[in-house]
Amino acid sequence: MKLDPLGDLRATRQCGELRASDAGQPVLLLGWVQRRRDLGHLIFLDLRDRTGLAQIVANKQKQPEAHARADQCRSEFVIGVIGAVAKREKPNPALPSGEVEVVAEKIFLLNEARTPPFALEAETSASEETRLRHRYLDLRRPPLLRNLRTRHRVVLAIRRFLDREDFYEIETPFLTRSTPEGARDYLVPSRVHPGHFYALPQSPQLFKQLLMIAGFDRYFQIVRCFRDEDFRADRQAEFTQLDLEMSFIQPEAVFRVVEGVMKFGFAAANIPVQGPFPRLTYAEALARFGTDKPDTRFGLELADVSAVFKAARAALKIELPVHAFVVSGAAAQTSRKQLDAFADFVKQQGGRALYYAKVTDKGVESPLEKTISGRGLDWLQEATKAAAGDLILIVPADPAQVAGAPHGPTTTVIGALRAHVAQELKLIPAGKWNFLWVTDFPLFEWTPTSSGWVSSHHPFTAPADDDLDKLEAEPGKVRSKAYDLVLNGWELGSGSIRIHRQDVQQRIFRVLGLSDEEAKERFGFFLEALTYGTPPHGGIALGIDRIVALLCGEKSLREVIAFPKTAQAQDLMADAPARVSDAQLDELGLTLKPPKKT
Ligand code: ASP
């Protein structure tokens, strides 16, 4: 096929922006052929660029040359069109440019295209695997184009806001040492230092603190972070954070800045957000919602009904505390099958059992009657304030949790059930954006597997001033100056006021089981820096991919990342990770062991 050169063809307008008021105007459009319809003497082309579609019409009698070129066009051919905008006889209300079409005078065929492996329409039935293998084609589909445009606008609005608030954006290294965020590091072997490795940053945590020590006062960065985690459905091996840090502040200052970030970022996607956001302590969040990231768009708040089950505890083989929530008006419509499905869900979550009770006009009915008696059921109704027609769902504390982690939360199973029931029974109202700060997290968590304390957030988080003297004696009771930002049940980010005193930092490392030597070996440079006049400081990091996904109404982070990885951390298009040649391994001084049998 004979192709035309681009020469000095320049688009004068964009396809998606043509309107009735443009009728009569000459235009030059450049783009891809979305579709071609051949009516014999008339050929219609839908021409696409990143703004949308424009209809082109080529008339055999009037413009035989343009018609002949249009005849050669196929899907995804790249063409240029010179013509005049004309009002359509039959407008297409589904298209923003649907009132007009371009009558082609000349068509330039700039490139041909193979038939794409899937239709590049808004809706596609192609598997995600096929889409990811040909991501450059997938990205031509309107939803992805729209998502990446939203992402650009949101990130730009955030940058503008932070610039106005006097933050500097400063880059930090990718080739560095391990940063402790609780995941495995991606390691990069050094050729010039055989046997030595860089670690890709799990976050810029230490560097942003070093920038505070350096006196930069207000730092931010929209930055890629790398975490080699076990496969989890909606995690990305590399993801983007808005990372920020400030000096001489209390948490209030971080809250104010982040509320502004959300206000301006969401406004860029036409969603109004108003601060200040409500706050809940960690203890309150667990007691009322059974999670440290509560979705507050719906009720179903938990009630502690342990007193009702005290006597029956042994007979039921359960542990206290026992919690319940009421699904208002759901007694009649919730079938046995649905209740069984909820019970299965509780088991999947590691829970011991699910009990239920239905409040009818005649009183409370429940299979529990045999064990806790009618009086017990009346207490249950009283404790949960359930009314006639309501369903009460009850979950005892998970025994494994109670035994293994004495300070661990005991409401997480019922918390998960609460969210599941809301989803299944469609109790979540649309169009709500419920932001929330969760504060006062415990500084440490007990890990039964390694019988030791680990940081709930990371080891640079400051303990609450009032709890400093409990550090060694009662680590489980020490609260931290950490906070999370939660939106509709999603954790958007975590942050904290940091430890700025070297002596406190050392005490924390000891509680974490790191000897002074080990701490020095891993973080020596940082501990040294702390001794040179570290200002009190703190910050936060927010997940940009998650924020944009929520704004775009997408469930998967992959829908808002141009070139994402699968849940197995693979890039299906570039086929990464991949084997490397023996020569490359030799250069790095590496030999591969045979893969471990699993
Ligand atoms: N570095 C932390 C993280 O990535 C956030 C912070 O403490 O600022 O979760």
Side-chain angles (χ1 to χ4, degrees):
M1 191 172 298
K2 190 177 158 295
L3 296 178
D4 300 308
L6 178 67
D8 50 14
L9 295 179
R10 297 282 175 275
T12 57
R13 298 296 299 275
Q14 302 215 272
C15 298
E17 64 177 33
L18 297 181
R19 296 291 178 271
S21 55
D22 295 312
Q25 295 287 322
V27 289
L28 194 162
L29 301 177
L30 296 169
W32 287 258
V33 175
Q34 172 87 14
R35 209 177 301 117
R36 171 176 157 281
R37 289 182 305 281
D38 189 347
L39 306 187
H41 66 293
L42 290 181
I43 294 178
F44 291 98
L45 303 175
D46 286 346
L47 188 66
R48 186 190 69 236
D49 63 19
R50 70 176 197 185
T51 61
L53 296 175
Q55 174 164 292
I56 313 295
V57 54
N59 185 312
K60 194 168 183 176
Q61 272 97 47
K62 293 191 187 145
Q63 299 293 349
E65 251 178 67
H67 184 272
R69 270 323 221 177
D71 192 37
Q72 293 177 307
C73 286
R74 295 292 175 270
S75 285
E76 301 310 311
F77 276 29
V78 185
I79 65 169
V81 177
I82 292 179
V85 180
K87 281 209 176 155
R88 287 203 212 181
E89 270 171 38
K90 276 193 244 134
N92 175 359
L95 268 190
S97 69
E99 279 187 90
V100 291
E101 61 191 2
V102 174
V103 181
E105 282 148 28
K106 243 177 144 145
I107 293 182
F108 303 85
L109 240 172
L110 301 179
N111 213 346
E112 30 187 1
R114 287 167 61 194
T115 308
F118 52 98
L120 306 183
E121 307 277 350
E123 295 287 326
T124 173
S125 54
S127 70
E128 193 174 23
E129 195 183 320
T130 310
R131 289 175 47 208
L132 288 177
R133 266 187 214 291
H134 301 275
R135 187 62 162 180
Y136 42 90
L137 294 178
D138 197 26
L139 287 170
R140 290 183 189 172
R141 294 172 46 244
L144 284 171
L145 196 78
R146 188 202 61 211
N147 290 353
L148 290 179
R149 184 169 53 225
T150 300
R151 184 176 181 125
H152 160 73
R153 289 185 180 154
V154 169
V155 168
L156 184 63
I158 292 175
R159 280 205 163 96
R160 284 195 174 132
F161 170 73
L162 289 172
D163 175 56
R164 258 183 27 211
E165 292 284 315
D166 263 345
F167 282 79
Y168 290 164
E169 181 161 25
I170 303 175
E171 286 157 286
T172 51
F174 276 178
L175 295 177
T176 178
R177 275 181 88 92
S178 181
T179 39
E181 298 284 358
R184 282 194 199 85
D185 291 320
Y186 279 102
L187 296 176
V188 181
S190 161
R191 181 183 54 82
V192 284
H193 301 283
H196 290 67
F197 292 79
Y198 301 99
L200 299 180
Q202 292 185 36
S203 85
Q205 185 61 37
L206 293 175
F207 287 101
K208 68 173 171 175
Q209 292 195 237
L210 291 166
L211 286 169
M212 295 305 107
I213 298 175
F216 278 91
D217 198 34
R218 291 177 155 226
Y219 140 95
F220 85 99
Q221 188 180 186
I222 308 263
V223 62
R224 208 70 62 78
C225 302
F226 306 85
R227 297 186 191 176
D228 185 2
E229 291 182 288
D230 289 334
F231 305 145
R232 300 247 286 271
D234 209 22
R235 285 289 170 106
Q236 284 287 313
E238 52 179 311
F239 59 93
T240 307
Q241 282 189 344
L242 162 62
D243 192 45
L244 59 88
E245 198 74 7
M246 304 155 81
S247 289
F248 304 111
I249 48 131
Q250 300 292 352
E252 297 303 321
V254 178
F255 296 172
R256 202 193 56 76
V257 166
V258 170
E259 283 161 7
V261 163
M262 290 299 141
K263 183 172 167 186
F264 284 89
F266 276 55
N270 298 319
I271 295 171
V273 163
Q274 207 48 57
F277 303 154
R279 297 178 196 177
L280 270 185
T281 64
Y282 168 84
E284 211 181 334
L286 278 167
R288 288 174 53 192
F289 303 100
T291 170
D292 58 7
K293 35 180 183 293
D295 189 342
T296 55
R297 288 174 298 170
F298 54 92
L300 309 186
E301 286 198 28
L302 310 186
D304 187 334
V305 294
S306 306
V308 181
F309 287 87
K310 239 187 197 142
R313 174 181 158 187
L316 290 170
K317 298 200 187 71
I318 58 167
E319 297 291 338
L320 301 183
V322 179
H323 285 85
F325 63 86
V326 174
V327 195
S328 158
Q333 93 226 22
T334 315
S335 65
R336 190 58 220 251
K337 201 169 140 211
Q338 181 119 58
L339 287 166
D340 287 346
F342 290 158
D344 287 344
F345 178 84
V346 165
K347 295 250 160 76
Q348 277 162 26
Q349 297 295 314
R352 176 83 182 76
L354 170 71
Y355 306 116
Y356 69 90
K358 291 181 171 182
V359 187
T360 69
D361 293 334
K362 286 177 249 124
V364 189
E365 292 171 4
S366 166
L368 277 173
E369 187 171 355
K370 286 174 266 159
T371 16
I372 66 169
S373 81
R375 252 187 75 200
L377 290 180
D378 290 341
W379 285 353
L380 183 67
Q381 183 184 0
E382 216 171 280
T384 55
K385 301 194 184 72
D390 291 353
L391 170 72
I392 309 173
L393 295 175
I394 308 140
V395 180
D398 169 27
Q401 215 168 31
V402 173
H407 300 283
T410 51
T411 51
T412 52
V413 174
I414 191 165
L417 178 70
R418 172 184 173 267
H420 179 71
V421 167
Q423 190 81 43
E424 291 292 300
L425 303 185
K426 304 200 169 41
L427 303 176
I428 309 178
K432 271 199 169 186
W433 299 91
N434 283 18
F435 284 95
L436 185 71
W437 287 108
V438 180
T439 62
D440 297 81
F441 282 82
L443 189 62
F444 303 109
E445 277 165 27
W446 179 256
T447 45
T449 37
S450 57
S451 294
W453 295 104
V454 291
S455 298
S456 311
H457 186 206
H458 54 57
F460 310 106
T461 303
D465 297 331
D466 293 345
D467 294 346
L468 251 185
D469 50 356
K470 294 191 209 132
L471 259 188
E472 288 79 11
E474 294 180 289
K477 297 230 169 97
V478 180
R479 285 161 307 156
S480 72
K481 293 188 189 171
Y483 33 79
D484 274 6
L485 179 66
V486 175
L487 170 59
N488 291 354
W490 292 96
E491 180 199 307
L492 293 188
S494 302
S496 57
I497 299 300
R498 325 297 184 186
I499 298 163
H500 65 280
R501 281 170 40 182
Q502 204 231 13
D503 57 330
V504 179
Q505 188 66 70
Q506 240 160 7
R507 283 170 65 193
I508 300 283
F509 281 145
R510 285 188 204 135
V511 177
L512 295 172
L514 274 185
S515 69
D516 291 354
E517 290 70 43
E518 281 168 323
K520 206 167 153 208
E521 149 76 26
R522 287 184 61 190
F523 310 114
F525 69 106
F526 181 71
L527 292 176
E528 188 189 343
L530 280 181
T531 62
Y532 285 106
T534 300
H537 62 286
I540 193 164
L542 305 165
I544 291 290
D545 306 304
R546 167 72 55 216
I547 291 171
V548 178
L550 285 167
L551 280 174
C552 294
E554 297 287 4
K555 290 208 174 66
S556 163
L557 300 186
R558 295 188 288 277
E559 299 297 315
V560 299
I561 299 174
F563 298 103
K565 297 198 174 41
T566 63
Q568 277 74 36
Q570 282 169 304
D571 176 341
L572 295 179
M573 181 184 66
D575 194 18
R579 293 188 186 284
V580 296
S581 68
D582 287 344
Q584 280 172 299
L585 288 175
D586 277 349
E587 238 178 8
L588 295 167
L590 297 178
T591 355
L592 294 182
K593 283 191 185 168
K596 272 195 207 135
K597 291 211 176 72
T598 44

